[in-house]
Amino acid sequence: MSDAAVQKGVPFCRPDVSAAEVEAVAETMRSGWITTGPKVKKFEEAFAAEIGAPWAVAVSSCTAALHVSLVATECGAGDEVITTVNTFTATAATIIQAGAKPVLVDIEEDTFNMDPLAVERACTVRTKAILPVHLGGHPCEMDRIGTLAKSHGAAVIEDAAHSLPASFRKKSIGAISDLTCFSFYATKNLTTGEGGMITGIDPAMRDRVGLIGYHGMSRDGWRRYLDKGSWYYEIVEHGFKYNLTDMAAAMGLLQLERLASMQKRREAIVAAFDSAFADLDALILPRARPHVGHAWHLYIIRLRDGALRIDREGFIRALADRGIGTSVHFIPLYRHPFYRKALGAEPSSFPVAERVFASCVSLPLFSAMTDEEMSTVIAAVRDVVKANRR
Ligand SMILES: Cc1ncc(COP(=O)(O)O)c(C=O)c1O
């Protein structure tokens, strides 16, 4: 390992941006059309083809995608939407934004995903949708969730912010449920800086999410600025302004072309971590269930209870001292003052999430990681474990 690598350390994430992407964005900026237009349309078509979904509609973020999807499936006042307690605030905040009530459920100990048994217990006559989050890229148990939703007449809206590309029983995430929401935020497996995509099965839903995500205006409203377009438009729904720009789509199109190779790099890093940490019994390593294709957005390890002289905070600090960026996914929602107050959610109702939260650390995992950086992470983790073993 060179001194430069040691000095520089390894950030938690660095976006994987190619020179061709920089040029494509610059070319779009010079083209005279920088907001939603032909590049967005092309990106939607290419994304749907990649997933094997009948359609895809681009939006400005996964948060926007979730909000539009909840409104499109008519989740509103008096309705309940079941989701996981272990997620980013956007998952639950958009349920509240739509006017419905988030019903939080506990997670599985090995995947950190919503526990289907807890979902079953949470279903009521008011359940309007189930909103699974594929944490870190490991798909939830979609057959059980789909069956539960069907038996309660509820929609399934997937939060796939972490799960591109991923699959469940050989079916791509994005081609399974009513609606699936992806994120192209700076840290995600495919990024456009900020951005999102909704995919779906029902062709009628495509027009509906297109309307709701663009002022409630006819889907091709942007065409009114083109030569072929007309000045006339009608607002037919209550809508929001959640469109993606052509600059972002230009980047997304090229990211999509590199998705398979970026994914291969993530998998190689995961394989290297798995083998380098296999003998460290103080760590519990992430595992993919055999029937899923894992997107490996995150590599989440857990510290085995009582195995080290330091706690999770100490572990994070020791890695930071060695220049390694880490994160925690997630602070369970009930630990945030807002959700505690708004939903009356208490830690005692979520024993698995509490245990996982106390012991989990996300290590750096990004496709632009060099071999040298990978070795730096491995050496630092091994060093911290060895130095603090009981
Ligand atoms: C699980 C999950 N859902 C939703 C989001 C929101 O995504 P975006 O930043 O694209 O709005 C994130 C963002 O990190 C996330 O981690």
Side-chain angles (χ1 to χ4, degrees), residues 61-63 66 87-88 90-91 133 159 161-162 183-185 188 194-195 330:
S61 69
C62 184
T63 306
L66 289 165
T87 186
F88 186 59
T91 316
V133 179
D159 180 335
H162 298 182
S183 172
F184 307 139
Y185 177 66
K188 298 301 191 280
E194 299 281 356
F330 280 99

Side-chain angles (χ1 to χ4, degrees), residues 103-147:
V103 174
L104 306 178
V105 297
D106 207 355
I107 58 173
E108 300 170 322
E109 189 102 34
D110 58 333
T111 64
F112 318 143
N113 281 334
M114 63 169 22
D115 181 344
L117 259 178
V119 174
E120 187 171 355
R121 276 188 230 114
C123 283
T124 72
V125 289
R126 290 180 296 281
T127 305
K128 187 82 176 183
I130 302 178
L131 209 168
V133 179
H134 310 299
L135 196 95
H138 190 301
C140 294
E141 288 302 316
M142 291 313 299
D143 43 10
R144 293 171 72 189
I145 290 166
T147 306

Side-chain angles (χ1 to χ4, degrees), residues 113-311:
N113 281 334
M114 63 169 22
D115 181 344
L117 259 178
V119 174
E120 187 171 355
R121 276 188 230 114
C123 283
T124 72
V125 289
R126 290 180 296 281
T127 305
K128 187 82 176 183
I130 302 178
L131 209 168
V133 179
H134 310 299
L135 196 95
H138 190 301
C140 294
E141 288 302 316
M142 291 313 299
D143 43 10
R144 293 171 72 189
I145 290 166
T147 306
L148 280 171
K150 208 166 177 189
S151 67
H152 288 82
V156 177
I157 300 168
E158 295 178 48
D159 180 335
H162 298 182
S163 41
L164 176 72
S167 60
F168 182 81
R169 299 201 191 285
K170 302 242 176 327
K171 231 174 163 187
S172 288
I173 294 300
I176 297 172
S177 300
D178 299 296
L179 295 167
T180 302
C181 304
F182 294 90
S183 172
F184 307 139
Y185 177 66
T187 59
K188 298 301 191 280
N189 292 25
L190 181 158
T191 184
T192 58
E194 299 281 356
M197 193 73 83
I198 307 171
T199 62
I201 306 297
D202 176 1
M205 262 300 180
R206 175 183 194 262
D207 294 339
R208 197 162 156 68
V209 301
L211 275 175
I212 295 167
Y214 195 67
H215 301 293
M217 195 182 283
S218 64
R219 174 159 161 69
D220 285 344
W222 58 269
R223 282 186 189 279
R224 74 186 191 277
Y225 296 114
L226 294 175
D227 294 345
K228 284 175 278 178
S230 148
W231 58 269
Y232 188 75
Y233 60 87
E234 284 183 343
I235 303 302
V236 294
E237 288 258 359
H238 176 216
F240 311 97
K241 190 172 194 291
Y242 286 155
N243 52 311
L244 191 74
T245 68
D246 259 25
M247 292 180 289
M251 181 176 178
L253 274 163
L254 292 182
Q255 286 261 307
L256 201 54
E257 281 179 16
R258 292 199 297 123
L259 183 63
S261 66
M262 290 194 293
Q263 193 56 22
K264 239 174 143 180
R265 179 64 184 157
R266 281 180 183 273
E267 286 166 7
I269 296 164
V270 167
F273 284 177
D274 282 349
S275 107
F277 304 146
D279 63 324
L280 302 178
D281 63 357
L283 304 184
I284 303 170
L285 303 182
R287 291 270 172 266
R289 289 182 178 170
H291 54 285
V292 307
H294 198 316
W296 291 113
H297 173 54
L298 299 172
Y299 191 87
I300 304 175
I301 58 168
R302 286 181 71 190
L303 309 184
R304 203 178 291 282
D305 212 16
L308 298 176
R309 278 183 280 105
I310 49 175
D311 62 6

